[in-house]
Amino acid sequence: MAADKGAIGLKKGSYLPKDSTPKGQQSAMSKFARPAHKSAARSLGYALTTGDEAGWASFTALIYMRLSVKERAALAYAALMALDEREADLVAEVAA
């Protein structure tokens, strides 16, 4: 069942809820996230934006250095779960 866009704060043509952080204040992510997590999030944004091999290689190197094995495994799991079974199998084959 599709969620009602109005019920979750979305307006027609808008896909993101309005920022709830008051002007002049830091977001909870800014205040409480570990520096390594902030760095990984920025790097992911860069890789998604550029969409090229260099961006993804930089992201891979950065998360290898900044995130724990458990965190990297959770990130990989989440990404694989976002694919259908055939796509996930292809990605796993290439990564092996």
Side-chain angles (χ1 to χ4, degrees):
M1 176 189 256
D4 177 48
K5 289 181 182 179
I8 56 173
L10 297 178
K11 295 179 183 176
K12 186 175 181 180
S14 169
Y15 298 100
L16 296 174
K18 200 170 187 181
D19 185 9
S20 61
T21 305
K23 218 173 194 177
Q25 288 188 352
Q26 289 182 315
S27 68
M29 181 74 176
S30 229
K31 283 183 180 179
F32 303 115
R34 291 180 30 213
H37 293 166
K38 291 180 197 178
S39 179
R42 281 190 303 271
S43 184
L44 174 59
Y46 171 76
L48 289 167
T49 300
T50 62
D52 61 14
E53 188 176 338
W56 288 109
S58 294
F59 175 67
T60 301
L62 185 131
I63 64 170
Y64 180 79
M65 293 183 301
R66 304 266 177 145
L67 301 182
S68 69
V69 171
K70 184 178 179 180
E71 290 167 332
R72 293 192 316 266
L75 189 59
Y77 176 80
L80 287 172
M81 293 304 292
L83 300 172
D84 67 33
E85 188 175 348
R86 183 177 167 275
E87 292 167 333
D89 288 341
L90 289 171
V91 170
E93 275 182 40
V94 171

